[in-house]
Amino acid sequence: MKEYWQKALTFDQYMDEAKMRATNNPDQTDEKQEYYELGLQRMERTLKTFKVDEAQMENLKSKEFDGKILIISEPWCGDASATVPAVSRFFEEAGKEVKIFLRDSDLSLIDQFLVNGTQSIPIVIVLDKDFGVINHWGPRPKYGTELLAKFKANPETYPREEFYNDLQVYYAKNRGKDAIEEILELI
């Protein structure tokens, strides 16, 4: 984990990467271009509206967690754009180191944290101070996973567009609170 940590970005570097890809992507044929732009908008909205929940901060302090947070993500991912900024800012506010490893730069890390056999992101890895894995979370809060299950169970009655809309409305209103709460339960 230490090697992945050393290759990872700070949250500010991650945001710089997202802005570059959204506005001046060197790969003019990148199929994810529209998702970079949308992801950046969502991340900036999350950053504008995010406020640290004091009860969650007290919960973290009570755990005496002295480790680090490593997040596997990509700026094009909708789930990541809704949760990574909130999770990063929360743990940074708590004085914890947070880094973000770009999933597509080296798949060997995400392959250790597959979700139902897929390389789903974001994955938040809770590390101890010596880079040992304590636990991991992702790729979305329980409520988002329930919406996905509802869509997969019957896409005729719950179409993709409705699922995506419901998920984004949830993310916008929740502002990362559920993701942080679920991560705190794992520490």
Side-chain angles (χ1 to χ4, degrees):
M1 285 300 141
K2 188 173 184 179
E3 289 177 24
Y4 293 116
W5 179 267
Q6 291 169 340
K7 294 176 185 175
L9 306 173
T10 65
F11 178 70
D12 289 338
Q13 290 170 326
Y14 179 75
M15 285 299 295
D16 289 344
E17 181 71 17
K19 288 173 189 167
M20 184 276 299
R21 291 184 191 181
T23 60
N24 192 26
N25 192 338
D27 182 356
Q28 298 297 311
T29 62
D30 195 327
E31 296 173 358
K32 295 182 175 87
Q33 188 59 46
E34 69 179 292
Y35 299 110
Y36 289 127
E37 294 164 12
L38 193 55
L40 181 61
Q41 291 170 3
R42 289 174 177 159
M43 287 191 285
E44 288 175 339
R45 180 183 65 218
T46 298
L47 288 171
K48 283 180 189 171
T49 60
F50 177 73
K51 290 187 177 29
V52 171
D53 180 288
E54 290 306 318
Q56 288 181 328
M57 189 60 72
E58 288 303 315
N59 183 3
L60 177 61
K61 286 178 185 172
S62 75
K63 294 175 181 283
E64 299 180 11
F65 171 64
D66 66 348
K68 306 166 183 0
I69 301 294
L70 180 60
I71 304 171
I72 308 170
S73 186
E74 281 290 338
W76 52 259
C77 175
D79 291 308
S81 64
T83 55
V84 170
V87 170
S88 296
R89 287 295 184 237
F90 175 81
F91 283 98
E92 287 174 348
E93 282 283 320
K96 306 304 174 194
E97 288 184 273
V98 177
K99 286 207 172 178
I100 302 167
F101 187 86
L102 295 173
R103 181 195 78 171
D104 298 343
S105 69
D106 179 350
L107 297 177
S108 66
L109 180 56
I110 192 67
D111 284 345
Q112 297 174 52
F113 297 94
L114 298 178
V115 178
N116 299 321
T118 68
Q119 298 173 328
S120 299
I121 52 177
I123 296 294
V124 177
I125 307 168
V126 180
L127 300 171
D128 65 24
K129 64 183 179 188
D130 299 316
F131 299 97
V133 176
I134 295 172
N135 218 326
H136 71 281
W137 173 93
R140 66 189 61 82
K142 289 177 184 133
Y143 182 76
T145 301
E146 290 167 6
L147 289 177
L148 177 62
K150 179 181 170 183
F151 161 68
K152 286 187 172 187
N154 200 339
E156 291 81 33
T157 60
Y158 189 53
R160 179 179 306 273
E161 296 76 25
E162 190 176 341
F163 160 61
Y164 284 152
N165 182 68
D166 290 351
L167 186 61
Q168 288 309 317
V169 167
Y170 160 71
Y171 280 144
K173 288 181 179 177
N174 188 261
R175 299 182 178 133
K177 188 172 181 171
D178 287 351
I180 293 165
E181 190 65 34
E182 291 173 20
I183 295 164
L184 288 172
E185 291 171 12
L186 301 174
I187 295 177

